[in-house]
Structure formats: C-alpha cells, structure tokens
Amino acid sequence: MDETSITTLRATETAPLPAGATEGYAETNGTRLHYVAAGTSGPLLLLLHGFPEFWYSWRAQIPVLARHFRVVAPDLRGYNLSDTPAGGYDIASLVEDVRGLIAALGEREAHVVGHDWGGVIAWALAIRAPDAVRRLAIVNAPHPGPFLRALRSPGQLRRSSYIGFFQMRGLAERIIARDDYAVIRRTFRAADRGRAWLADEDIERFVTAIARPGALSAALEYYRRLMLPAALRQISPLRVIEAPTLVLWGELDIALGTGLLDGLDRWVRDLRVVRFPTAGHWLNQQEPERVSAALEGFFGEEP
C-alpha cells in the first residue's frame, strides 16, 4: 500500500461508523476521497452509493461483507467528506476515481457493488476497465444499453423527467435546499409506503451530508454532465461485460422501470437477476438483510 496516498482521520460526526469500521482518505485522480473500511482479509470489495446519499447507505452491508472481504465504502466525488472540485463529474473521470481508489488501496482489481449513480459508475467501470472488476453487483441502476432504448418510451421519459429539472443550474439548488431540504426528506419518505424503513435520524444524516458546502451542486453536476452529447460516448463501445454480474432490483422504483431489465443479458455474459416485488429504489436500505445475504452469497461463490 502506498502510504503517501492513504491517510487516516478521526471519526466524524456525519454518521456513526459500523462496529469495527475505520475511515480514511485516498488520493485518486487528483481528488481526495473519504471512505469507510472494514475487514482486513479477503479480496477488496467496493460499495458505491447513489444520490443523494454517502457511504452510510451501506451501513447494514458493511459488517456482513467484512466477515469475508476487505470492504471499502467511499463517499463519491463531491459527496459528504470527499473533495468537491469544480469539475470531473463526467463518466470517464468518475470511473478513473474508482480505478485510482483501487490502486491507492494497493490492489489491481476489486469486487464492485453500485447503487443508483454508484451503479452507473460500476457499469461503466466494467465496460471501460474490465480488468479492474472481479465480480459486479448492481442495485437499481440502469445499464446504458437498455437505458438508451428505454428513453424512447413515454413511460421511462416521465420517470426520468426530474433529470430535466436538475439541469436548471442555481434554481434546482434553491428549490431542493428550501425549507431545510424538504425535497430530500420527501424523496426518501415517498418510498416508505408505510414501512418507515428509514429512521428520522438516518434522513437527518443524509441531509447533513448533502448540505455541506458545495455538495448539492456537485451531486447535481453528475446529472448535468450526463446530458451533454459527449457523455454517453465515454462508455462506448458497449462491449459485453465478462465479469459475473448480479443485479438486485426493487420493482417499486418510481424512477427506474422494470423494463430496464429486458434484454440485459445481451450486454452481460454471466448474468443473474433477483427481483424484489415489495421494495423500491432504496433497496439496500429497505431490505438490508436480504440484500446483504444476496451479496455475501454471490461474492462468496468465487473460489
């Protein structure tokens, strides 16, 4: 491990660490990423979060997977305690962040799990840098092939309409931050369906993280860069993914329809899909035990 690129820090107050976990920073691709780590043996396993979250969305999976793997859950570029640079939110740069993190942690490859935007990055990493991914797991995040096809349908266009709102630089930030980030709170609660799967203090932690200086604009920049004409060319050609791949999908996702699973085997050589009919977009938090068990079993299959 390169000791010049890894430093440690005291526990933060954003969220409590899982038992036995530590945290640190890694220099990668010109950016300092904060991460939480657990487990000291076994292959490296990365957990990549989505919007508007941070490492804490994997709090249930970290201790389970740390029994067998060296688990690292970073705050992605712009989120929580990671740097919020002015640029670098295009797909190619985000992939290089993850590749650099793997190298900074002293490895050449890793098992990779991604949810939402973390899943988009994980798909792109497996396409652009296949040698960096041992096994891949995706939680409610669209592969670019089916997603481009689905955007031709009125249903998915309606589901994705919020991306257009996110393009309104400045205005989107003001509306989202209004009334102590009421939009963020409603986003999480709208998926509850009476199950109260997030405690109030959990939502406060996500709000605290996205309210850090520059964090909201950085998070929205992911979507703004995605809409530029060159964005999708950065994950071309859409070569078939060779790494064994597990897709976990909450079917009640209000933003991503189940049609995104149709024809996915065209793009993934060794694919298995597990559907969760009573869960939605925040699957790893809504069904923590089942998701943890599925990931543990899948990654544990490797000899």
Side-chain angles (χ1 to χ4, degrees), residues 45-48 58 111-115 118 122 136-139 295 299:
L45 190 155
L46 298 183
L47 298 169
L48 308 180
W58 299 108
H111 296 313
V112 181
V113 185
H115 168 248
L136 176 67
I138 300 293
V139 182
L295 294 175
F299 290 114

Side-chain angles (χ1 to χ4, degrees), residues 127-199:
I127 293 168
R128 292 176 58 92
D131 291 345
V133 180
R134 295 177 65 157
R135 283 186 166 230
L136 176 67
I138 300 293
V139 182
N140 282 71
H143 182 285
F147 189 59
L148 287 173
R149 182 193 64 229
L151 283 177
R152 302 190 189 107
S153 72
Q156 187 57 55
L157 278 173
R158 285 194 300 272
R159 290 171 180 268
S160 300
S161 61
Y162 66 94
I163 298 177
F165 164 64
F166 286 172
Q167 306 306 305
M168 301 177 186
R169 195 177 301 275
L171 178 61
E173 281 89 337
R174 289 194 294 274
I175 291 176
I176 293 172
R178 183 182 298 164
D179 297 329
D180 193 22
Y181 293 84
V183 169
I184 299 294
R185 300 173 192 279
R186 287 198 301 271
T187 296
F188 284 117
R189 283 293 180 225
D192 265 6
R193 297 178 181 267
R195 297 174 62 191
W197 55 277
L198 273 181

Side-chain angles (χ1 to χ4, degrees), residues 24 27 32 59 111 123 142 178-179 184 187 207 211 213 248 259 267 290 295 301:
E27 297 290 340
R32 190 174 71 156
R59 61 196 176 280
H111 296 313
W123 281 125
R178 183 182 298 164
D179 297 329
I184 299 294
T187 296
V207 169
L248 306 178
W267 303 107
R290 294 174 66 193
L295 294 175
E301 291 177 2

Side-chain angles (χ1 to χ4, degrees), residues 168-293:
M168 301 177 186
R169 195 177 301 275
L171 178 61
E173 281 89 337
R174 289 194 294 274
I175 291 176
I176 293 172
R178 183 182 298 164
D179 297 329
D180 193 22
Y181 293 84
V183 169
I184 299 294
R185 300 173 192 279
R186 287 198 301 271
T187 296
F188 284 117
R189 283 293 180 225
D192 265 6
R193 297 178 181 267
R195 297 174 62 191
W197 55 277
L198 273 181
D200 289 341
E201 55 265 32
D202 294 324
I203 294 179
E204 287 302 319
R205 286 162 184 147
F206 289 119
V207 169
T208 296
I210 204 69
R212 290 182 178 275
L216 177 57
S217 291
L220 294 178
E221 197 65 24
Y222 284 59
Y223 295 93
R224 291 163 181 166
R225 293 291 304 183
L226 181 68
M227 300 306 292
L228 296 178
L232 293 174
R233 290 200 297 270
Q234 292 182 345
I235 46 177
S236 296
L238 292 180
R239 64 170 61 91
V240 173
I241 293 173
E242 300 291 343
T245 300
L246 171 68
V247 173
L248 306 178
W249 201 271
E251 294 188 335
L252 299 182
D253 194 323
I254 61 174
L256 301 171
T258 55
L260 292 170
L261 300 174
D262 297 339
L264 186 54
D265 53 355
R266 173 186 174 189
W267 303 107
V268 185
R269 186 85 62 197
D270 181 357
L271 173 69
R272 68 198 73 178
V273 176
V274 180
R275 298 169 179 254
F276 293 74
T278 61
H281 182 71
W282 318 99
L283 178 60
N284 49 311
Q285 297 189 79
Q286 289 173 304
E287 296 284 357
E289 293 85 6
R290 294 174 66 193
V291 169
S292 296

Side-chain angles (χ1 to χ4, degrees), residues 33-74:
L33 298 186
H34 170 258
Y35 65 84
V36 168
T40 58
S41 62
L44 177 63
L45 190 155
L46 298 183
L47 298 169
L48 308 180
H49 67 82
F51 171 89
E53 301 167 290
F54 62 108
W55 71 262
Y56 186 67
S57 64
W58 299 108
R59 61 196 176 280
Q61 287 75 44
I62 290 172
V64 174
L65 295 173
R67 296 193 296 235
H68 312 286
F69 305 98
R70 181 186 174 202
V71 178
V72 173

